[in-house]
Amino acid sequence: MSGDRLASVAPGVLRGSSRVEQAGVREFLAFMVGSECYALPLSCVREIMRVPPIAEVPRAPADVLGIISVRGKVTTLLDLRKKLDVQGTPIGGRTRVLLVDQGEETMGLLCDRVLQVHRLGEDEVELASVLGNETSSYVMGIGRPGQRKAQGPKSGSKREARQAAANAHDILILLDPIALLKRQSHA
Amino acid sequence: MAQGKEGDKVREEFLAEAQELIETLSRDLLLLDESQRRGQRSAETLNDLFRGVHTLKGLSGMFGFERLGRLSHLLEDLLENLRLGRIDLSQPVLDVLFEGVEGFARLLAEAGETGEPTKVDIDGFADRMRTLARVKAPTHNVLEDFELDPNMLGVLTEYEEHRLRTSLEEGFSVFRLRVRLALDVIDTALDQLKERVKAIAEILTYLPSMDGTGGDAIEIEMLLATRKTESELRSALGRPDAALSLVLRRASGAPRTSIKAPSQAPQRRLKSSAPVPAASSALQRTAEAGPGSDHSLRSLTSVVRVDIRKLDNLMNVVGELGTVRAALGRFVEKLRTGVDQTLWNEAHRIQRAFSRHLSEVQEGVLDIRMVPLAQLFDKVAVIVRQVAREQKKEVRLLITGADTEVDKLIAEELADPMMHIVRNAIDHGVEIPDARTGVGKPNVATLAINAYQKGNHVVIELSDDGRGIDTALIREAAVRKGILTEHAASDLSRDELLGVVFLPGFSTATTVTELSGRGVGMDVVKTNITRLGGAVELDSEVGVGTKVTITLPITLAIISALLFEVRGRLLAIPLAVVQEALRMPRDAVRTVEGREVLTLRGTTLPLCRLGEHFGFSEPGEAAPRDLYVVVISVGNKRLGLCVDRLSGQQDIVIKGLGRSLSQVHGVSGATDLGDQRLVLVLDAASIIEEVLLGRSSPLALGGLQ
C-alpha cells in the first residue's frame, strides 16, 4: 500500500514531491484533540491503545506527560494538547494513546478521541503554505475529506456515527510525525 | 533501501570481526613483548600475529576498507620479515608493531562512524617502518656447519630454513625423524604424531621422504628442534618404529655441500588435511596455501557474537514473563477453593515448574551478558606498556583474576576509568628507575591489578608501588584552590583528605604536578563508577604506593531496590546506595543555614525533601505524622531523603528512559512492577551532587522545551 511508504519518507516528500503525487491516495488516521480534528499518516501509527497507568517524570519537558509501559518497554508519552496548544478534555473513556514510530524512538501521543481512517487523494490535500508563514512546524497540510467517500474502520451504525463526527470537523489538520516527535537538543 | 540495510549489516559484521581480530592482535603483541623481554622464543606468537594481520588484510580488501587494508599490508610485510629472521625483534620494532595495532583500532573506530576522514597517518607510519625494516646482511651460514641432507634443504621454504637456522644458532638439538604411516590412516596418524611432537619440540618441517615409499604406506620425514635428549623424545613419541637421528655438526674442514638459494627452491609441503593419492604426486604438489589459510575458512571458536540490544530485548521479554508468572500464581491460588483438589494440585505443579524454568531462563540471559574482565585487562596492558615507554619508566604488570566475569555493559563502561587510573599510576605514581633505586626499591615498578568476586559485587584493586600521595600536600592544595577552608581542612582525617582527590575542581594538571601524586580527572573516574552503581576508594602511603579499589555490581540488569512513596508517587532507589532507613518525628528536623538537617548518632545528616525537590504536586491526603528518612551514600557523601512511606524491597529490572528523556537529572530509569505500573528509579549520585554541591546541569531544571 502506498501508505506504507510514507513512514520512511522525509516531510519534504509529503509536502508534494512527484513521488507522492504518483502514489495518489494516502491513508490518514483522524483523531480529536480538544475541539480540533487532526490526522497523522496511518503508516506511522503502530498501535492505538487505551491509556495505561502513567508515571510522572519530574522535570521532564513540559509536553511530556510521563512514561508508560508498552509490553515492558518504557515509552515516553507526549501530551498533544500541550504540544499543539489546544484546550483538551480530561482523560476519560475515549482517551487513547497513539503509538507513533518515527525515527529513533517510539513514542506515545495522548489524544482525546480516535475518529477514523481517511483515504485522501491529492486533490484533497492542501499544503501547509496556504496557511501562511505562521503555521507551526508540525503541520504539513490541510486535508478536506469531503470530496471522496470516507472509509471508516468499522461498518454499520457506529461507522455512520463516526462519519457524522468527522463531517462536523471536515477539515483535517495533517500533522508531520517527524517534526512532531523531534526533540530539541540543547547540546 | 533493503540493500542499504543489508550493506549495513555486512558492514557491522565486518566491524565486529575486525574488532575481535585487533583485540587478539594486541594480546599476541603483548605476549611477544613479554617473550622478547625474557629472551624466549616467540616463533609461534609471530606466526599468530602474521596470520591475524593477513586475515585482517583479506577482510579489509573484501569490504573495501582501503586504509585498513594498506596498514595491514605494511604490517604484514614487517611481520613477514620478522618471521623469516630478516630483521631482529627489538624494542623499536615492537613499538612500531604496537603503533600499527593502535592504528588499526583508530581506523576501525573511524570506519564505524561512516565516512569520517581519518587522522591516522599511514604514510608516516610506512616511512618509519621502512627505516626499521632494513634487512640484515646475511651472516655466516650455520647450515653449512651441520650434516644436513642437501636434498632436504633444497625443498625447505624460506621460513622453514630460517627456523632451522635459528634453532641451530640458538643451540637446539635438531633431530631427523622418519616414520612410516599407512596411507589409509595417514591423516589421523600424522595429526597425532604432530600433536605429540609439538608438546616437546618445534616441528621445523615435515615431508614425505624421498625414498622408502611404496606399497600402502608412506614414509614421513620430519625435522625437529628441541632441548630434550634423544631418549626423552623417543619416549614422548610413542612410536617404537620411528627412526630418530640427531643432526650432527660437521667435522671442521670437511667438504661443504653448497646450498641452493632457498627462495628459488620449489616450495613443497605435505598438507595434512589433503588426501595423499601417491607419494610422487604428493611431492610435486606445490604449496599454494600461505600461512593462515588453514584457518581462514573455519571459525576458530564456537562463539556467537550477539548485539547487546538483542539481549536487552530478551531480558525485557523475560521480565514480562515474570509478570505472567505472578499473575499465574495469583490465579492458581484463587482456584484452590473452587476446583477439586487433584486439578488444583496439577495446576499448582505446572505453575511451580513454569516458575522454576523461568528463573533458569533469567539466569541464562544474565549469564550470556557476562564477559571475563580479561577483555578489559588486555586493553589496560597495552596502555601500561605505552605509557611506561613514553615516560621511560619500567613497569611490570601483574594481573590476577582476569577470568572474573561482569556484565558486558559494565566492562565497557569501566574501560575509561581504568585507563585513567592506570595512566595516573604510571604518570604520577611510579618513579623513574634511577629514583627508585635511590630509595632502595627495585628499578622495575609493579602495577598489580587484582579482580575477584565478592557476593554480588566484583572488586578490582589496582595498586602500584610508586611514591604514594602526601595528604599534607592535598590539604594545602585544597585550601589554596578554595575547595576547603583552612579550618575545615585541618579537621579532616587522612581518609577524608584522600577523598578530596575525587572532588571536582581539585584535580587539575597543576595540582598534580605539585602534588607529584595523581588526581587527573579522578572526579570523572568517580562519577563514571558511581553511575554504574559502584564505588571507588583510594588508599595511599607516601613512599610505599597507592591502591585504588573499585567495587561494582556484577550486573546492571537486575538490582535490589528499596521502594518508597513520595506524595502518592512510588519511587525506587538501588539498595546498594542505601545505608539505612529511619523513622523520625517531624520535629527532629533542624535547620542549619537554611538547610534542613538531622542529627544522627552525633553526626549531621543533610536532608532533601524529595517531593519538593522533584516538584511533585501535593496529594489530597495529609502527610503522615512521622517522617521516613532514607539515608543514601555515594562515596563519602551522605544524604537523607525524606519520604512519606516505605514500601519494601524488591528485585527490579532497570530499563532506561527513552532518548527523549535522557537529559532528565536525578532519575536513572524506570522499572515495571508487573501491573503495567512504572516506577522511577532514582539516581543517587546525581541527587547527592545536586543537593550537596548545589550543582545541576542547567538542562535539569528547565527541561528540554
Side-chain angles (χ1 to χ4, degrees):
Chain A
M1 271 196 283
S2 59
D4 292 339
R5 235 172 278 150
L6 289 183
S8 55
V9 298
V13 176
L14 272 178
R15 288 193 171 116
S17 81
S18 61
R19 179 168 169 192
V20 170
E21 276 157 19
Q22 281 159 11
V25 177
R26 301 179 319 225
E27 290 178 303
F28 287 88
L29 179 74
F31 52 89
M32 309 271 299
V33 180
S35 55
E36 304 269 7
C37 197
Y38 294 92
L40 275 167
L42 184 63
S43 55
C44 73
V45 181
R46 274 228 327 240
E47 195 173 335
I48 303 169
M49 55 190 281
R50 288 178 184 279
V51 187
I54 303 170
E56 186 183 341
V57 179
R59 304 140 153 205
D63 62 339
V64 171
L65 214 48
I67 48 176
I68 54 173
S69 169
V70 180
R71 281 182 295 282
K73 258 217 155 82
V74 177
T75 308
T76 304
L77 183 62
L78 295 182
D79 191 348
L80 271 186
R81 299 168 298 188
K82 284 237 173 73
K83 194 106 189 163
L84 302 170
D85 199 20
V86 294
Q87 198 71 43
T89 46
I91 292 178
R94 285 179 156 169
T95 315
R96 291 289 181 274
V97 171
L98 308 179
L99 277 189
V100 176
D101 195 353
Q102 191 64 75
E104 28 191 51
E105 196 178 339
T106 298
M107 290 206 236
L109 300 177
L110 194 79
C111 67
D112 290 329
R113 180 176 168 194
V114 171
L115 298 171
Q116 65 175 111
V117 174
H118 285 287
R119 288 168 61 82
L120 298 182
E122 46 195 278
D123 51 338
E124 293 165 301
V125 176
E126 288 178 280
L127 298 185
S129 52
V130 298
L131 299 173
N133 293 329
E134 293 299 295
T135 50
S136 91
S137 60
Y138 315 132
V139 178
M140 64 175 176
I142 299 293
R144 295 188 172 276
Q147 280 94 332
R148 285 172 57 100
K149 207 178 85 186
Q151 295 183 337
K154 299 261 169 69
S155 61
S157 62
K158 220 171 184 176
R159 196 200 113 174
E160 276 153 32
R162 281 166 188 250
Q163 189 71 58
N167 287 344
H169 313 276
D170 53 358
I171 287 184
L172 294 175
I173 303 170
L174 305 182
L175 297 174
D176 175 356
I178 296 175
L180 201 61
L181 299 197
K182 185 166 178 155
R183 314 303 303 171
Q184 273 87 356
S185 83
H186 284 237
Chain B
M1 232 180 215
Q3 209 181 358
K5 270 202 170 152
E6 197 57 32
D8 279 355
K9 191 160 184 185
V10 168
R11 185 189 174 88
E12 263 174 40
E13 285 271 303
F14 162 76
L15 291 176
E17 181 149 12
Q19 179 68 40
E20 226 164 67
L21 272 170
I22 292 171
E23 278 166 17
T24 312
L25 283 179
S26 71
R27 204 159 38 230
D28 287 341
L29 209 45
L30 284 165
L31 270 177
L32 192 66
D33 186 48
E34 179 84 29
S35 24
Q36 196 262 351
R37 262 170 220 282
R38 299 190 177 174
Q40 289 167 337
R41 318 190 85 192
S42 44
E44 263 317 300
T45 320
L46 264 177
N47 280 336
D48 288 344
L49 272 168
F50 181 80
R51 272 197 288 270
V53 171
H54 183 77
T55 312
L56 191 61
K57 186 177 87 170
L59 274 177
S60 315
M62 216 145 69
F63 291 94
F65 288 90
E66 188 250 340
R67 290 170 65 84
L68 260 180
R70 253 184 75 206
L71 185 56
S72 326
H73 188 83
L74 286 168
L75 273 187
E76 192 185 5
D77 281 351
L78 180 60
L79 285 163
E80 172 81 350
N81 283 335
L82 280 170
R83 252 163 48 90
L84 297 179
R86 295 198 194 117
I87 54 177
D88 285 327
L89 186 62
S90 59
Q91 275 299 320
V93 171
L94 274 166
D95 284 343
V96 167
L97 286 173
F98 272 103
E99 191 190 338
V101 171
E102 202 201 321
F104 279 146
R106 284 221 303 276
L107 281 172
L108 197 65
E110 284 158 8
E113 310 278 299
T114 60
E116 278 295 303
T118 115
K119 283 147 251 140
V120 180
D121 175 18
I122 296 183
D123 294 324
F125 183 74
D127 288 344
R128 251 161 298 152
M129 242 177 56
R130 219 162 285 137
T131 55
L132 276 180
R134 246 177 247 125
V135 174
K136 272 193 300 193
T139 47
H140 165 71
N141 192 348
V142 68
L143 296 182
E144 296 181 7
D145 299 345
F146 283 84
E147 301 269 7
L148 287 158
D149 180 354
N151 286 329
M152 177 167 226
L153 286 177
V155 295
L156 290 183
T157 64
E158 191 181 354
Y159 176 64
E160 287 166 347
E161 191 192 305
H162 159 66
R163 291 305 309 157
L164 173 61
R165 186 182 294 130
T166 316
S167 298
L168 291 171
E169 278 168 0
E170 288 173 358
F172 280 75
S173 313
V174 173
F175 287 93
R176 189 167 175 180
L177 170 75
R178 285 157 173 268
V179 64
R180 278 177 74 81
L181 301 173
L183 265 181
D184 48 351
V185 293
I186 186 156
D187 280 4
T188 49
L190 189 59
D191 280 348
Q192 200 181 27
L193 184 66
K194 276 158 62 185
E195 272 319 301
R196 286 190 181 155
V197 172
K198 270 187 185 164
I200 52 164
E202 180 185 345
I203 301 178
L204 299 173
T205 185
Y206 61 99
L207 300 157
S209 156
M210 294 294 188
D211 40 58
T213 310
D216 52 1
I218 182 169
E219 192 176 67
I220 299 290
E221 184 166 351
M222 284 191 186
L223 274 185
L224 315 173
T226 181
R227 294 217 189 265
K228 305 272 183 212
T229 64
E230 185 174 335
S231 60
E232 280 171 318
L233 200 55
R234 194 175 287 283
S235 64
L237 283 178
R239 285 194 74 111
D241 58 323
L244 200 59
S245 60
L246 180 66
V247 173
L248 294 171
R249 196 175 273 275
R250 264 179 222 284
S252 56
R256 286 173 181 176
T257 324
S258 79
I259 295 161
K260 274 194 289 178
S263 53
Q264 277 139 34
Q267 302 190 351
R268 288 171 197 153
R269 62 165 68 192
L270 177 65
K271 276 180 70 191
S272 60
S273 53
V276 181
S280 56
S281 66
L283 255 181
Q284 274 150 20
R285 195 167 42 230
T286 50
E288 74 275 51
S293 59
D294 292 332
H295 302 273
S296 60
L297 289 180
R298 218 167 3 137
S299 299
L300 291 170
T301 58
S302 55
V303 172
V304 177
R305 268 192 302 264
V306 182
D307 188 329
I308 191 94
R309 282 168 296 189
K310 287 188 182 169
L311 292 181
D312 284 344
N313 282 337
L314 203 55
M315 200 67 219
N316 258 336
V317 176
V318 171
E320 287 299 291
L321 278 177
T323 322
V324 175
R325 166 166 64 184
L328 196 62
R330 284 196 296 272
F331 180 67
V332 169
E333 210 40 49
K334 262 191 211 160
L335 279 185
R336 188 198 273 270
T337 48
V339 298
D340 78 81
Q341 196 57 35
T342 46
L343 259 182
W344 182 79
N345 280 341
E346 181 71 7
H348 188 61
R349 199 182 54 74
I350 294 173
Q351 186 251 333
R352 290 265 305 267
F354 174 69
S355 182
R356 198 175 56 243
H357 291 314
L358 183 57
S359 304
E360 284 166 16
V361 172
Q362 193 173 55
E363 275 167 34
V365 174
L366 283 182
D367 192 47
I368 295 173
R369 298 174 60 100
M370 302 298 268
V371 294
L373 279 169
Q375 292 185 1
L376 175 61
F377 291 172
D378 284 343
K379 291 185 197 155
V380 171
V382 174
I383 293 283
V384 167
R385 183 187 183 278
Q386 189 186 324
V387 180
R389 296 268 306 160
E390 273 168 26
Q391 307 266 329
K392 308 221 182 330
K393 290 172 181 171
E394 299 270 346
V395 180
R396 186 169 59 111
L397 183 63
L398 214 66
I399 292 178
T400 43
D403 52 354
T404 312
E405 293 193 322
V406 294
D407 192 291
K408 169 79 177 165
L409 203 59
I410 295 186
E412 288 290 312
E413 294 289 320
L414 205 50
D416 283 349
M418 287 276 284
M419 299 297 167
H420 231 120
I421 295 170
V422 164
R423 205 167 242 291
N424 274 340
I426 302 173
D427 267 357
H428 310 299
V430 168
E431 312 90 331
I432 54 167
D434 285 351
R436 292 183 61 89
T437 8
V439 293
K441 289 182 184 177
N443 65 332
V444 178
T446 302
L447 180 64
I449 302 182
N450 180 28
Y452 56 93
Q453 192 175 335
K454 190 175 160 194
N456 274 329
H457 285 84
V458 166
V459 181
I460 303 173
E461 299 167 342
L462 299 104
S463 40
D464 65 62
D465 59 352
R467 56 170 75 89
I469 303 175
D470 189 344
T471 48
L473 289 172
I474 295 183
R475 181 177 322 186
E476 195 181 292
V479 171
R480 195 176 51 245
K481 301 190 82 65
I483 295 169
L484 294 171
T485 62
E486 191 109 27
H487 180 69
S490 60
D491 280 352
L492 291 184
S493 67
R494 187 174 150 274
D495 284 353
E496 286 168 322
L497 276 171
L498 283 173
V500 171
V501 169
F502 292 113
L503 290 182
F506 173 79
S507 44
T508 65
T510 51
T511 341
V512 165
T513 35
E514 285 164 21
L515 264 182
S516 307
R518 61 180 76 179
V520 178
M522 283 306 267
D523 60 322
V524 180
V525 168
K526 176 141 198 164
T527 312
N528 286 348
I529 288 171
T530 315
R531 189 172 297 142
L532 295 172
V536 54
E537 281 162 43
L538 184 71
D539 194 14
S540 185
E541 205 166 315
V542 176
V544 178
T546 304
K547 177 166 155 186
V548 181
T549 307
I550 301 172
T551 311
L552 289 163
I554 287 180
T555 175
L556 291 178
I558 295 190
I559 61 156
S560 286
L562 179 70
L563 294 159
F564 50 79
E565 252 177 63
V566 175
R567 292 189 179 169
R569 280 90 168 168
L570 198 56
L571 299 170
I573 196 158
L575 209 54
V577 300
V578 176
Q579 278 190 335
E580 57 185 319
L582 316 154
R583 186 172 172 164
M584 284 275 179
R586 285 191 179 269
D587 53 15
V589 177
R590 298 274 176 277
T591 310
V592 174
E593 292 191 339
R595 176 168 282 176
E596 288 186 311
V597 298
L598 206 61
T599 304
L600 184 60
R601 287 186 289 274
T603 59
T604 304
L605 177 73
L607 291 181
C608 166
R609 291 189 186 267
L610 268 186
E612 286 160 33
H613 183 73
F614 280 150
F616 287 140
S617 58
E618 290 277 3
E621 55 186 286
R625 209 165 50 84
D626 279 351
L627 189 68
Y628 286 93
V629 177
V630 177
V631 183
I632 58 172
S633 74
V634 173
N636 53 5
K637 290 196 270 299
R638 292 195 310 162
L639 180 67
L641 302 177
C642 298
V643 305
D644 297 335
R645 195 170 288 118
L646 298 179
S647 316
Q649 181 191 332
Q650 196 167 333
D651 282 348
I652 58 167
V653 179
I654 300 191
K655 296 166 182 176
L657 302 183
R659 288 181 63 148
S660 52
L661 295 174
S662 59
Q663 313 206 40
V664 170
H665 215 62
V667 175
S668 59
T671 184
D672 192 338
L673 287 191
D675 48 2
Q676 252 204 328
R677 219 159 31 127
L678 289 177
V679 171
L680 291 182
V681 183
L682 304 184
D683 179 359
S686 68
I687 292 177
I688 286 185
E689 187 173 298
E690 191 182 332
V691 173
L692 294 187
L693 302 171
R695 285 200 328 166
S696 71
S697 81
L699 300 172
L701 298 169
L704 296 173
Q705 290 289 311

